[in-house]
Amino acid sequence: MTNNWILPALILVPFIAGFLCWVVDKLDDHLPRYIALIGMLITLGLTGVLWSQGGFTYELGQQVPSWAAQFQVEWIKSLGINIHLAVDGLSLLMVGLTALLGVLAVGCSFGEIQKNVGFFHLNLLWSLGGVIGVFLAIDLFLFFFFWEMMLVPIYFLIALWGHTGAAGKSRVYAATKFFIYTQVAGLIMLVGILGLVIYGYMMSGTIGFDYYYLMAVARTLDAQAPHIAYALMICMFIGFAVKLPVFPLHGWLPDAHAQAPTAGSVDLAGILIKTAAYGLLRFVIPFFPAASAQFADIAIIFGLIGIFYGAWCAFQQTDMKRLLAYTSISHMGFVLLALYAGNILTFQGLMIMMLAHGLSSAALFIMCGQVYERLHTRDLRLMGGIRGQFQYLPFFLMFFIAALVGIPGLGNFIGEFLILMGAFGKFPTFTIIAAISLVFAGLYGLILIHKALFGTPNEAQKQHYATPLKDLTAREIVLLMVCAIGLVWLGMYPQTFLDVSNSSMRWIANSYIPVQEIVESTQQVVSQANVEIQ
């Protein structure tokens, strides 16, 4: 195996750039912004280089993933822990999304963040570096290290630069709530990982955190001790479900979004919750296929409840950011339907949906920040009538809301259509119920457009309006155009991305197999794992 140094560079560049932002903060307030922007552009460029190198292939009957590139060095030899990074189509697209939204997050904070600019960008870039580490790490100790590490900078982003809360819910309250939820979930996931390591030691006398090795252990348990496998699977599922978030483990999300700065909301909605879907795809489904199949009905029911609960709560909101936060909860219900329907169509639909939701939700949170800068409020009751006061802002707001609710021709529609089409054969009733929820998505989208853009300006708010209100700047238009072009590309030419992710998704779909086939596949995985370890 040849080490590809682009993989560690993808993680190190944001860390180094973030540290430099902090160091030069005393010299000039503007310098950290440009260092952070250059760092994320380099990361995006490195992702493009990986894409151009190709290697996203799949051979029929293959029992282990085919990595396009790997990087592996020993770390803690006595515990079988390595710095093992690998990329396939799934992780490459997720890293690309992270780098692109990282550029947008830095760009949208130019006007908003005015204090401790260097330390802000340190936290923002370190959280992005941690997310990239999650997408690349396949040693489970290293994966958990990055999983926990990416949460601490988000805490500081919300607690130090967040908005003032209402009804006694301050930004520190929101940050603490987020941190407690995610830390407890992380500890439960750690129980699942260590359970696999302990059972692996009992079976083979070897301590290891290697992906292939623990997959072999998990599949052996899945076949021979299904009750133990089910318990470990639930531990890992809970760890990812809180981050997704799945109803009823979603309590941290609305407060975190409402109080987070714009860049923090872009990070949370566009990238952070995608790490949970990635974890379920990469670890839970391939490790515990039989236990996952047994759990599928329960998971999808929770997903369906979340779809309608999120949509209903979105109806009730008067705060623009809280409304968008609840739409994320609603959309993530489709993720569970796609995951546990478990075929190539739903997995590919999930891939497109994650990319499209990342772009559309990030763009809408950026626009929340732009509206707040001009109107000094996010309260929909105090807006109204701004359609006639701007030239560009209303167009972009209507475009991205249309994308979020799944208008044909844009990426979200393709993702939802593939998921519903793929899930119908296995779960027709659940699929029909999920399809009905799309009507509610259209309704809260229309309500948001109506309350924000049309009608007459609120009298109490007129005193805050400048005359005339300043429209979007060139920088803000460029940020939104990047998202708009991406959504149109996903809607019109999704095959560009489906070709890259096909091999990864086909392997995961093939690993999600009936119980009676587990034993045979486990033996093949064990033999492959032994070869890898040697």
Side-chain angles (χ1 to χ4, degrees):
M1 182 190 75
T2 304
N3 278 345
N4 189 323
W5 284 89
I6 293 177
L7 300 185
L10 284 168
I11 300 170
L12 290 174
V13 167
F15 279 105
I16 294 170
F19 181 73
L20 288 176
C21 290
W22 183 51
V23 169
V24 304
D25 187 26
K26 298 297 182 185
L27 301 178
D28 185 357
D29 277 352
H30 295 288
L31 202 53
R33 306 183 196 277
Y34 293 109
I35 291 174
L37 186 61
I38 291 168
M40 292 316 301
L41 286 171
I42 291 172
T43 307
L44 186 60
L46 290 174
T47 310
V49 173
L50 269 183
W51 188 317
S52 67
Q53 290 178 355
F56 311 107
T57 57
Y58 173 81
E59 296 177 7
L60 197 62
Q62 189 173 304
Q63 293 299 321
V64 292
S66 176
W67 308 117
Q70 293 188 68
F71 179 88
Q72 184 172 9
V73 295
E74 289 185 349
W75 186 11
I76 307 173
K77 190 173 182 180
S78 60
L79 296 178
I81 297 171
N82 300 307
I83 297 175
H84 192 182
L85 308 173
V87 67
D88 60 358
L90 166 62
S91 49
L92 177 70
L93 291 176
M94 289 290 96
V95 170
L97 178 68
T98 305
L100 178 61
L101 294 189
V103 172
L104 299 180
V106 172
C108 74
S109 63
F110 267 47
E112 182 181 5
I113 304 302
Q114 300 299 330
K115 65 173 184 177
N116 299 322
V117 177
F119 191 52
F120 171 84
H121 286 95
L122 168 78
N123 285 287
L124 179 62
L125 266 66
W126 280 31
S127 71
L128 294 170
V131 170
I132 293 173
V134 165
F135 290 139
L136 295 181
I138 57 169
D139 180 281
L140 267 77
F141 182 89
L142 187 64
F143 170 82
F144 185 77
F145 171 80
F146 284 121
W147 181 266
E148 292 297 298
M149 198 218 71
M150 70 182 178
L151 304 176
V152 178
I154 297 290
Y155 172 86
F156 287 116
L157 286 177
I158 299 172
L160 298 180
W161 292 276
H163 299 290
T164 303
K169 295 182 178 180
S170 67
R171 60 194 182 194
V172 176
Y173 167 86
T176 305
K177 190 175 182 180
F178 161 77
F179 194 73
I180 291 172
Y181 262 86
T182 50
Q183 284 299 303
V184 171
L187 290 174
I188 294 172
M189 182 171 70
L190 181 61
V191 171
I193 294 173
L194 293 179
L196 285 177
V197 173
I198 291 167
Y199 274 100
Y201 180 74
M202 291 166 61
M203 291 175 187
S204 65
T206 303
I207 298 177
F209 288 82
D210 180 76
Y211 184 79
Y212 296 124
Y213 171 67
L214 290 185
M215 184 194 296
V217 172
R219 289 195 178 183
T220 302
L221 288 172
D222 216 25
Q224 297 176 3
H227 56 291
I228 296 173
Y230 193 85
L232 296 178
M233 182 275 295
I234 290 294
C235 287
M236 296 186 72
F237 174 83
I238 291 173
F240 295 124
V242 169
K243 188 69 66 65
L244 194 55
V246 173
F247 176 89
L249 306 174
H250 64 282
W252 62 271
L253 184 66
D255 290 327
H257 270 312
Q259 266 72 266
T262 301
S265 292
V266 170
D267 199 352
L268 281 170
I271 307 166
L272 218 70
I273 61 180
K274 308 301 183 293
T275 60
Y278 171 84
L280 290 167
L281 271 172
R282 176 70 77 209
F283 300 106
V284 175
I285 298 292
F287 277 35
F288 306 100
S292 296
Q294 185 182 350
F295 183 64
D297 285 358
I298 299 171
I300 292 174
I301 288 170
F302 277 122
L304 291 177
I305 294 172
I307 289 173
F308 287 96
Y309 172 82
W312 175 254
C313 288
F315 283 126
Q316 314 301 314
Q317 303 308 310
T318 55
D319 185 301
M320 195 173 179
K321 283 186 82 171
R322 289 185 74 89
L323 187 153
L324 292 173
Y326 279 111
T327 66
S328 290
I329 295 171
S330 183
H331 280 89
M332 290 306 104
F334 279 92
V335 171
L336 289 181
L337 178 62
L339 280 165
Y340 287 93
N343 58 60
I344 185 63
L345 266 182
T346 61
F347 286 157
Q348 287 284 61
L350 175 59
M351 185 75 254
I352 297 297
M353 184 178 176
M354 287 196 291
L355 295 173
H357 182 268
L359 289 172
S360 57
S361 61
L364 283 168
F365 280 112
I366 289 172
M367 295 208 72
C368 280
Q370 293 168 349
V371 169
Y372 185 80
E373 282 183 31
R374 287 156 176 82
L375 306 185
H376 310 291
T377 183
R378 297 196 309 265
D379 193 332
L380 292 169
R381 296 168 297 183
L382 301 179
M383 292 184 188
I386 65 174
R387 166 67 185 88
Q389 302 177 60
F390 298 102
Q391 182 178 357
Y392 300 113
L393 189 147
F395 163 76
F396 282 110
L397 187 60
M398 287 190 282
F399 177 88
F400 290 119
I401 291 172
L404 190 70
V405 302
I407 295 297
L410 301 176
N412 300 66
F413 171 79
I414 299 294
E416 290 169 356
F417 181 78
L418 287 174
I419 290 170
L420 293 173
M421 189 166 66
F424 185 78
K426 190 171 183 181
F427 299 107
T429 305
F430 291 153
T431 305
I432 292 169
I433 294 171
I436 292 170
S437 73
L438 297 177
V439 176
F440 291 93
L443 287 175
Y444 62 63
L446 289 172
I447 287 172
L448 178 55
I449 290 173
H450 172 71
K451 287 186 176 180
L453 299 181
F454 297 101
T456 56
N458 186 287
E459 290 296 325
Q461 186 60 22
K462 279 185 178 178
Q463 59 182 320
H464 297 296
Y465 286 2
T467 308
L469 288 172
K470 185 181 178 183
D471 204 356
L472 298 180
T473 63
R475 172 180 60 83
E476 292 170 328
I477 290 175
V478 168
L479 295 176
L480 297 177
M481 280 301 298
V482 169
C483 296
I485 292 169
L487 287 166
V488 172
W489 191 295
L490 281 165
M492 304 303 292
Y493 303 103
Q495 202 63 44
T496 310
F497 305 94
L498 294 174
D499 287 342
V500 174
S501 63
N502 180 60
S503 61
S504 310
M505 296 307 190
R506 191 167 293 279
W507 175 78
I508 296 169
N510 285 357
S511 72
Y512 193 38
I513 52 182
V515 179
Q516 60 267 25
E517 298 177 27
I518 296 288
V519 177
E520 180 183 345
S521 68
T522 297
Q523 292 170 349
Q524 296 177 7
V525 174
V526 170
S527 62
Q528 179 66 35
N530 289 335
V531 171
E532 291 290 331
I533 291 170
Q534 290 170 5

